Amino acid sequence: MPIQEEYTMNSLNTGINIFMNTVGGKWKCLILFFLSQQPRRTKEFYLLMPTITQKVLTEQLKQLERDELVRREVFKEVPPKVEYSLTELGQSFVPVLNTMCEWGNTYATVQNLEREEQICCQHE
């Protein structure tokens, strides 16, 4: 048996595993995509992603903040205002988001998949 087969993918500290552990999952890339457009308040995420639950959104934002991709800023006003934005490290992920958007749109065209519109970040 080759050595690679002795290990599970989750136990390998490889670039792709680090990538998937950091931004993998159903919502993280969407959260980063929407933050690449502008800072967002929690309520805005529910409008942009109506099927996400409060628990999942909170967990995903905390993980992205822990991984230093997202900044959480609390404004001292009544009622309290919380706003999320990309950190410098999070901004460095925008070209990856652009590539993912382009690939998804190309794939949809090749596979003749219906989609509402082509959306790509295309931010600096």
Side-chain angles (χ1 to χ4, degrees), residues 26-53 57 61 84 116-117 119 123:
K26 184 175 180 180
W27 300 108
K28 285 184 181 177
C29 284
L30 274 175
I31 290 168
L32 293 169
F33 171 80
F34 291 124
L35 290 177
S36 75
Q37 298 171 330
Q38 66 187 46
R40 304 278 181 179
R41 295 181 66 184
T42 307
K43 183 178 179 180
E44 293 177 74
F45 287 112
Y46 295 120
L47 297 172
L48 295 165
M49 302 179 293
T51 59
I52 195 167
T53 65
L57 178 61
L61 286 167
Y84 295 91
E116 291 180 25
E117 58 185 280
I119 301 174
H123 296 35

Side-chain angles (χ1 to χ4, degrees), residues 6-121:
E6 293 178 16
Y7 301 98
T8 65
M9 281 301 291
N10 290 336
S11 69
L12 297 177
N13 196 23
T14 63
I16 193 68
N17 282 336
I18 293 166
F19 173 87
M20 291 302 297
N21 288 334
T22 306
V23 296
K26 184 175 180 180
W27 300 108
K28 285 184 181 177
C29 284
L30 274 175
I31 290 168
L32 293 169
F33 171 80
F34 291 124
L35 290 177
S36 75
Q37 298 171 330
Q38 66 187 46
R40 304 278 181 179
R41 295 181 66 184
T42 307
K43 183 178 179 180
E44 293 177 74
F45 287 112
Y46 295 120
L47 297 172
L48 295 165
M49 302 179 293
T51 59
I52 195 167
T53 65
Q54 179 180 354
K55 179 181 186 256
V56 171
L57 178 61
T58 300
E59 286 173 0
Q60 300 288 276
L61 286 167
K62 281 182 182 178
Q63 289 170 11
L64 290 167
E65 187 179 3
R66 179 201 64 213
D67 292 334
E68 299 180 6
L69 297 174
V70 168
R71 175 183 309 105
R72 180 180 186 264
E73 187 174 359
V74 179
F75 295 89
K76 294 184 180 181
E77 49 186 66
V78 179
K81 174 183 171 184
V82 177
E83 187 174 86
Y84 295 91
S85 60
L86 293 181
T87 62
E88 189 175 329
L89 186 58
Q91 287 287 342
S92 73
F93 190 69
V94 172
V96 177
L97 289 169
N98 288 333
T99 300
M100 292 168 60
C101 288
E102 290 167 11
W103 186 89
N105 285 323
T106 300
Y107 180 81
T109 300
V110 168
Q111 296 295 323
N112 199 28
L113 299 175
E114 268 189 53
R115 59 192 187 281
E116 291 180 25
E117 58 185 280
Q118 289 188 353
I119 301 174
C120 281
C121 305

